[in-house]
Amino acid sequence: MKSRIAALTGTACLALSLLFAQARAAEPEKKDISLAVGSVIMSYMPVGLADATGAFKKEGLNVTVENFKAGGSKALQALIGGSVDVVVGAYDHTIQMQAKGKFVQCVVQFNTLPGNSLAVRAALADKVNSGADLKGLKIGITTPGSSTDMAIRYYLQRNGLKPTDAQIIAVGSGTPGMVALEQGNVDALIYWDPVATILEQKKAVKVLFDARTPEGNMKAFGGSVSPFACLYATKDFIDKNPETIQRLVDAFVSTLRFIHDKPSAEIVDALPDTWKLPNQRDLNIAIMDASKQMFSTDGMTIPDSVKINYGIVSAYTDEVKNADIDLTQTYTNRFAEEAAKRLK
């Protein structure tokens, strides 16, 4: 009797294994994927790392990365227009699109912290001690309607100011924004790494908040966590291509694990040149050390954390404030949950 039970148990386990293998063996509906990013910033770094380490190829996907070099709003426009399949960009865009009656969902979260910083020129260090002191100053953002635009407006509001109390100026991301600050074309700048670490090492700025840490995020936006970069797609694309989306999520979750499991030097060495500063290995390692904390370990979206993002976006536009937004429809954790099972 015992041997029969054991045999039946073994048969059941084999059947389950075969079913799992069959499910995993399902071919992706679309193997050639176009993925857009608005710019090359640290928050989006898992894109370059996944490509360089072969994570996409391992999942049977041919991913072409398109860098729009003009902020996330341009990448979002390309997605809605149908010229790209998926976007790595700000989670906030999913909220904005729902207000317009278009459903875009985050399928894997890169960041539990936005990783942006706000600083003023060192020459203003004695005059600016809080957000309230930004009144009348020129503040640099990437592009109008970008996450930097929304974030600074929310920060000003939290410090008792209206957006019109300061001059918000588009200066681009990366080096152009840093140059604008250093040359005095703007008085303050909201930015990410590598600019953050470079400016701090130069002692060229006074930092008002650093959202690479839970403490800095609390100071800036009122919560210890809030998502930023994620992989998102239209609900229609997700529904039509669930295995393709799953393979993309598997690739990114394995990449997020790589970020937390490996020393910064190994990550830097693995990154393609376009995702790091040329011929500056030590600086790149310092940047990675400063930024690791903001990356998710599992790709999951923490439900309560998105309320902060809703506050930021609704403060920026009445269209969102006046819309009936269902935040549970702006993201899904089902692919990250499945990735955790597949990648054991």
Side-chain angles (χ1 to χ4, degrees), residues 11 53 67 88 93 147 153 160 191 248 311 335 340:
T11 301
T53 58
N67 178 9
V88 168
H93 294 153
S147 58
R153 290 169 187 266
Y191 52 81
L248 283 167
F335 295 105

PDB file of all heavy atoms in Angstrom, residues 11 53 67 88 93 147 153 160 191 248 311 335 340:
ATOM      1  N   THR A  11       4.056  10.115  -9.317  1.00  0.00           N
ATOM      2  CA  THR A  11       3.390  10.397 -10.596  1.00  0.00           C
ATOM      3  C   THR A  11       2.803  11.800 -10.596  1.00  0.00           C
ATOM      4  O   THR A  11       2.913  12.539 -11.582  1.00  0.00           O
ATOM      5  CB  THR A  11       2.271   9.370 -10.865  1.00  0.00           C
ATOM      6  OG1 THR A  11       2.859   8.071 -10.885  1.00  0.00           O
ATOM      7  CG2 THR A  11       1.586   9.647 -12.194  1.00  0.00           C
ATOM      8  N   THR A  53      24.396  41.795 -19.975  1.00  0.00           N
ATOM      9  CA  THR A  53      24.605  40.492 -19.348  1.00  0.00           C
ATOM     10  C   THR A  53      23.867  39.364 -20.066  1.00  0.00           C
ATOM     11  O   THR A  53      23.943  38.208 -19.643  1.00  0.00           O
ATOM     12  CB  THR A  53      24.157  40.515 -17.873  1.00  0.00           C
ATOM     13  OG1 THR A  53      22.772  40.899 -17.794  1.00  0.00           O
ATOM     14  CG2 THR A  53      25.006  41.491 -17.060  1.00  0.00           C
ATOM     15  N   ASN A  67      16.836  55.267 -27.177  1.00  0.00           N
ATOM     16  CA  ASN A  67      17.000  56.362 -26.222  1.00  0.00           C
ATOM     17  C   ASN A  67      16.535  57.655 -26.880  1.00  0.00           C
ATOM     18  O   ASN A  67      17.153  58.132 -27.825  1.00  0.00           O
ATOM     19  CB  ASN A  67      18.455  56.473 -25.797  1.00  0.00           C
ATOM     20  CG  ASN A  67      18.703  57.623 -24.836  1.00  0.00           C
ATOM     21  OD1 ASN A  67      17.759  58.247 -24.339  1.00  0.00           O
ATOM     22  ND2 ASN A  67      19.956  57.917 -24.576  1.00  0.00           N
ATOM     23  N   VAL A  88      10.633  51.989 -20.451  1.00  0.00           N
ATOM     24  CA  VAL A  88      11.145  52.129 -19.092  1.00  0.00           C
ATOM     25  C   VAL A  88      11.134  53.622 -18.792  1.00  0.00           C
ATOM     26  O   VAL A  88      11.847  54.400 -19.428  1.00  0.00           O
ATOM     27  CB  VAL A  88      12.550  51.537 -18.937  1.00  0.00           C
ATOM     28  CG1 VAL A  88      13.165  51.973 -17.609  1.00  0.00           C
ATOM     29  CG2 VAL A  88      12.491  50.025 -18.994  1.00  0.00           C
ATOM     30  N   HIS A  93       3.599  58.164 -15.130  1.00  0.00           N
ATOM     31  CA  HIS A  93       2.934  58.235 -16.433  1.00  0.00           C
ATOM     32  C   HIS A  93       1.698  57.337 -16.498  1.00  0.00           C
ATOM     33  O   HIS A  93       0.761  57.631 -17.240  1.00  0.00           O
ATOM     34  CB  HIS A  93       3.913  57.855 -17.542  1.00  0.00           C
ATOM     35  CG  HIS A  93       5.030  58.843 -17.701  1.00  0.00           C
ATOM     36  ND1 HIS A  93       6.270  58.505 -18.206  1.00  0.00           N
ATOM     37  CD2 HIS A  93       5.109  60.167 -17.412  1.00  0.00           C
ATOM     38  CE1 HIS A  93       7.046  59.569 -18.231  1.00  0.00           C
ATOM     39  NE2 HIS A  93       6.368  60.585 -17.747  1.00  0.00           N
ATOM     40  N   SER A 147       8.940  63.895 -15.073  1.00  0.00           N
ATOM     41  CA  SER A 147       8.862  63.591 -13.644  1.00  0.00           C
ATOM     42  C   SER A 147       9.588  64.643 -12.820  1.00  0.00           C
ATOM     43  O   SER A 147       9.188  64.940 -11.687  1.00  0.00           O
ATOM     44  CB  SER A 147       9.455  62.209 -13.370  1.00  0.00           C
ATOM     45  OG  SER A 147      10.793  62.150 -13.799  1.00  0.00           O
ATOM     46  N   ARG A 153       7.419  70.782  -8.545  1.00  0.00           N
ATOM     47  CA  ARG A 153       6.180  71.506  -8.225  1.00  0.00           C
ATOM     48  C   ARG A 153       5.564  70.987  -6.915  1.00  0.00           C
ATOM     49  O   ARG A 153       5.062  71.768  -6.092  1.00  0.00           O
ATOM     50  CB  ARG A 153       5.188  71.385  -9.381  1.00  0.00           C
ATOM     51  CG  ARG A 153       5.613  72.168 -10.623  1.00  0.00           C
ATOM     52  CD  ARG A 153       4.772  71.820 -11.845  1.00  0.00           C
ATOM     53  NE  ARG A 153       5.283  72.444 -13.049  1.00  0.00           N
ATOM     54  CZ  ARG A 153       4.871  73.613 -13.537  1.00  0.00           C
ATOM     55  NH1 ARG A 153       3.915  74.270 -12.907  1.00  0.00           N
ATOM     56  NH2 ARG A 153       5.401  74.118 -14.637  1.00  0.00           N
ATOM     57  N   GLY A 160       5.171  75.344   0.998  1.00  0.00           N
ATOM     58  CA  GLY A 160       4.368  76.554   1.092  1.00  0.00           C
ATOM     59  C   GLY A 160       4.453  77.493  -0.088  1.00  0.00           C
ATOM     60  O   GLY A 160       4.036  78.655   0.014  1.00  0.00           O
ATOM     61  N   TYR A 191      18.010  66.471 -10.270  1.00  0.00           N
ATOM     62  CA  TYR A 191      18.835  65.613 -11.116  1.00  0.00           C
ATOM     63  C   TYR A 191      19.002  64.226 -10.496  1.00  0.00           C
ATOM     64  O   TYR A 191      18.575  63.979  -9.357  1.00  0.00           O
ATOM     65  CB  TYR A 191      20.222  66.245 -11.302  1.00  0.00           C
ATOM     66  CG  TYR A 191      20.886  66.627  -9.985  1.00  0.00           C
ATOM     67  CD1 TYR A 191      21.536  65.679  -9.205  1.00  0.00           C
ATOM     68  CD2 TYR A 191      20.836  67.938  -9.508  1.00  0.00           C
ATOM     69  CE1 TYR A 191      22.114  66.007  -7.995  1.00  0.00           C
ATOM     70  CE2 TYR A 191      21.422  68.287  -8.300  1.00  0.00           C
ATOM     71  CZ  TYR A 191      22.062  67.307  -7.552  1.00  0.00           C
ATOM     72  OH  TYR A 191      22.633  67.645  -6.350  1.00  0.00           O
ATOM     73  N   LEU A 248      10.191  39.537 -20.308  1.00  0.00           N
ATOM     74  CA  LEU A 248      10.839  40.819 -20.015  1.00  0.00           C
ATOM     75  C   LEU A 248      10.974  41.021 -18.505  1.00  0.00           C
ATOM     76  O   LEU A 248      12.034  41.441 -18.013  1.00  0.00           O
ATOM     77  CB  LEU A 248      10.038  41.968 -20.619  1.00  0.00           C
ATOM     78  CG  LEU A 248      10.161  42.196 -22.127  1.00  0.00           C
ATOM     79  CD1 LEU A 248       9.084  43.149 -22.612  1.00  0.00           C
ATOM     80  CD2 LEU A 248      11.549  42.748 -22.478  1.00  0.00           C
ATOM     81  N   GLY A 311      -0.261  61.841  -5.281  1.00  0.00           N
ATOM     82  CA  GLY A 311      -0.231  63.199  -4.735  1.00  0.00           C
ATOM     83  C   GLY A 311       0.613  64.130  -5.580  1.00  0.00           C
ATOM     84  O   GLY A 311       0.249  65.282  -5.819  1.00  0.00           O
ATOM     85  N   PHE A 335       3.288  39.531 -12.731  1.00  0.00           N
ATOM     86  CA  PHE A 335       4.460  39.088 -13.487  1.00  0.00           C
ATOM     87  C   PHE A 335       5.692  38.975 -12.586  1.00  0.00           C
ATOM     88  O   PHE A 335       6.493  38.049 -12.729  1.00  0.00           O
ATOM     89  CB  PHE A 335       4.729  40.038 -14.650  1.00  0.00           C
ATOM     90  CG  PHE A 335       3.632  40.046 -15.679  1.00  0.00           C
ATOM     91  CD1 PHE A 335       2.733  41.110 -15.753  1.00  0.00           C
ATOM     92  CD2 PHE A 335       3.473  38.990 -16.563  1.00  0.00           C
ATOM     93  CE1 PHE A 335       1.716  41.121 -16.695  1.00  0.00           C
ATOM     94  CE2 PHE A 335       2.453  38.986 -17.509  1.00  0.00           C
ATOM     95  CZ  PHE A 335       1.578  40.062 -17.574  1.00  0.00           C
ATOM     96  N   ALA A 340       9.454  35.423  -9.560  1.00  0.00           N
ATOM     97  CA  ALA A 340      10.056  34.882  -8.347  1.00  0.00           C
ATOM     98  C   ALA A 340       9.997  33.352  -8.355  1.00  0.00           C
ATOM     99  O   ALA A 340      10.927  32.686  -7.873  1.00  0.00           O
ATOM    100  CB  ALA A 340       9.340  35.432  -7.124  1.00  0.00           C
TER     101      ALA A 340
END
